[in-house]
Amino acid sequence: MQPDIAPRLLDADTLARLTALADLDPALVVDDFSTPAAAAALREAEVIVSCWGCPPLDATVLAAAPRLRAVIHAAGSVKHHITEACWERGIEVTSAAWANALPVAEYTVAAVLSANKRLLQLRSDYRRLRAPHDWQAGYAGAGNYRRTVGIVGASRIGRRVLDLLRPYDLQLLLHDPYVDAAEAALLGARSVPLDELCAAADVVSVHAPELPATHHMIDARRLALMPDGATLVNTSRGSLIDQDALVAELTTGRLNAVLDVTVPEVLPPDSPLYDLPNVVLTPHVAGSLGGELHRMAAAAADELARWTAGLPFAHPVGPGDIDRSA
C-alpha cells in the first residue's frame, strides 16, 4: 500500500487488534515489492494486508512469497493488484469494498437530494440578488417530491443508494443487464432500458463497473435524451461518460453534473469543469475519506480474525467477481 496511507488508515484500536492477531510490523509499508525490506517480508508472509497503491501480485512476487496464502484488501477493487497468478496459486482474497461503498452511497444520496432541490442555482441566484425574491415562482419545479431518479448499475453501491433513497417520495428507475424486473422491484425500483432511464430521470447516477462494454455508455446521444435541467452524477469511473460530449452539454447550461471521477483523474488546470457554475467537481473522494478510512481498516481486522480462527472470509473475492467490479 502507499506508505502515507497506513498512519491514516489504522486507528489505535484497529492497530492493536491487528498486532494481537498476527505477527504484523505496522512500520513496514511498501509500494515496491523489489526492495530488500519487501523481499525479506515476502519470504515469511502468510497474509498481505493491502490498500490503494498496492503493486501487482504477479508470478514473480508470488515466487518470492512461498508461504503466502491470503490477501486482505483494506479498500475497494482488487482488480489492479490481484493477478491471474493469484488465482492459479489458490490465494484467498477478501476486500473491504462493502465498507468503502457506504460513503460513496452517502455522497450520492446527498448529491441527488441537493440536485433536485437545485441547491447550486439557488446559491448562485441568492448571492446575485441579495434581496427579497419570489423563490416559489422561480423554482416551481424544484424539490424531491415525486421526482424521478435513475440508477445505472445495481452494484454494491447502486443497491445501497437505492436502499437509502427508499424513505423519500421518489420514483426510482434502475438499469442493469443482470437484474430483471422482479429483482429490481425488490430493490424498490422499476427496471428500464438505459435510453428510457436517461429520458425520464431528473437525476441519473452512474454505478456500473469499468469494462469495455461500459466505456462511454453515457454518450452524446444519451446525454441528449436527458431532460433540460437534469443532473448527471458519476461516482464510478470517468470512462463511463463521454466527457467531451458532457462538457458540451454542460457549457450550454442545459444539464448539471456532480462528478467525483473524470478522465484524466486529475483534470488539466484549463478544464472548464473546474469553473462551470452548474458543476460540482470533487477529486475522487466520494469513497472513504478521513475518519471513514478507519471503517475499512476495521473490516480488514475482522477478516484477519476470521482467517486466523480458520473461518472463511465474510467478504471473499473470486476470479468471477473481477469483471463486475469497479
Side-chain angles (χ1 to χ4, degrees):
M1 67 174 74
Q2 299 169 349
D4 60 333
I5 287 289
R8 289 175 280 152
L9 187 69
L10 296 171
D11 61 277
D13 290 342
T14 301
L15 179 58
R17 286 188 64 204
L18 286 169
T19 53
L21 289 165
D23 182 8
L24 181 144
D25 180 1
L28 178 63
V29 183
V30 302
D31 56 7
D32 180 354
F33 287 127
S34 67
T35 65
L42 285 173
R43 282 194 295 270
E44 303 299 323
E46 295 178 273
V47 179
I48 287 177
V49 178
S50 62
C51 194
W52 296 309
C54 181
L57 294 163
D58 56 21
T60 300
V61 173
L62 294 185
R67 302 179 63 192
L68 184 66
R69 295 165 52 199
V71 176
I72 297 175
H73 191 50
S77 175
V78 301
K79 70 193 311 180
H80 302 294
H81 68 295
I82 297 299
T83 67
E84 189 62 32
C86 294
W87 308 125
E88 293 173 357
R89 170 88 161 260
I91 301 293
E92 294 182 71
V93 179
T94 181
S95 166
W98 69 269
N100 197 46
L102 301 182
V104 180
E106 292 163 358
Y107 174 108
T108 301
V109 170
V112 168
L113 299 178
S114 297
N116 280 333
K117 199 72 172 182
R118 296 172 66 180
L119 197 62
L120 275 182
Q121 189 176 347
L122 276 165
R123 182 196 64 174
S124 178
D125 285 348
Y126 194 27
R127 179 182 291 169
R128 175 177 54 83
L129 292 169
R130 306 184 186 215
H133 182 70
D134 187 350
W135 299 107
Q136 292 293 347
Y139 286 82
N144 283 285
Y145 181 58
R146 293 186 177 176
R147 302 303 291 274
T148 301
V149 178
I151 303 299
V152 181
S155 60
R156 183 183 285 106
I157 296 169
R159 289 167 186 260
R160 179 64 175 168
V161 170
L162 287 169
D163 187 50
L164 291 175
L165 289 176
R166 279 177 183 264
Y168 300 95
D169 288 314
L170 297 167
Q171 305 296 319
L172 301 177
L173 305 179
L174 173 65
H175 172 75
D176 189 306
Y178 298 98
V179 175
D180 61 19
E183 185 178 0
L186 291 174
L187 295 172
R190 180 166 63 89
S191 177
V192 296
L194 184 54
D195 283 4
E196 181 179 339
L197 182 149
C198 289
D202 299 294
V203 180
V204 174
S205 190
V206 181
H207 303 286
E210 184 177 43
L211 303 170
T214 61
H215 181 77
H216 285 189
M217 68 186 304
I218 307 295
D219 56 11
R221 184 182 66 80
R222 286 179 170 139
L223 288 168
L225 292 174
M226 293 175 63
D228 291 354
T231 299
L232 177 67
V233 179
N234 189 13
T235 57
S236 179
R237 293 292 185 266
S239 67
L240 275 64
I241 313 296
D242 182 338
Q243 192 165 284
D244 290 340
L246 177 60
V247 169
E249 287 279 12
L250 293 170
T251 301
T252 69
R254 194 182 76 81
L255 298 179
N256 309 295
V258 179
L259 305 173
D260 189 52
V261 286
T262 55
V263 177
E265 184 80 327
V266 178
L267 292 168
D270 61 350
S271 170
L273 292 174
Y274 286 115
D275 299 311
L276 285 170
N278 51 336
V279 175
V280 174
L281 181 66
T282 53
H284 202 163
V285 293
S288 299
L289 179 69
E292 294 164 339
L293 295 170
H294 298 163
R295 182 193 282 125
M296 295 195 301
D302 288 344
E303 291 290 57
L304 183 59
R306 294 181 65 88
W307 191 82
T308 56
L311 298 172
F313 286 136
H315 302 280
V317 178
D321 300 317
I322 298 297
D323 288 342
R324 294 179 64 180
S325 65

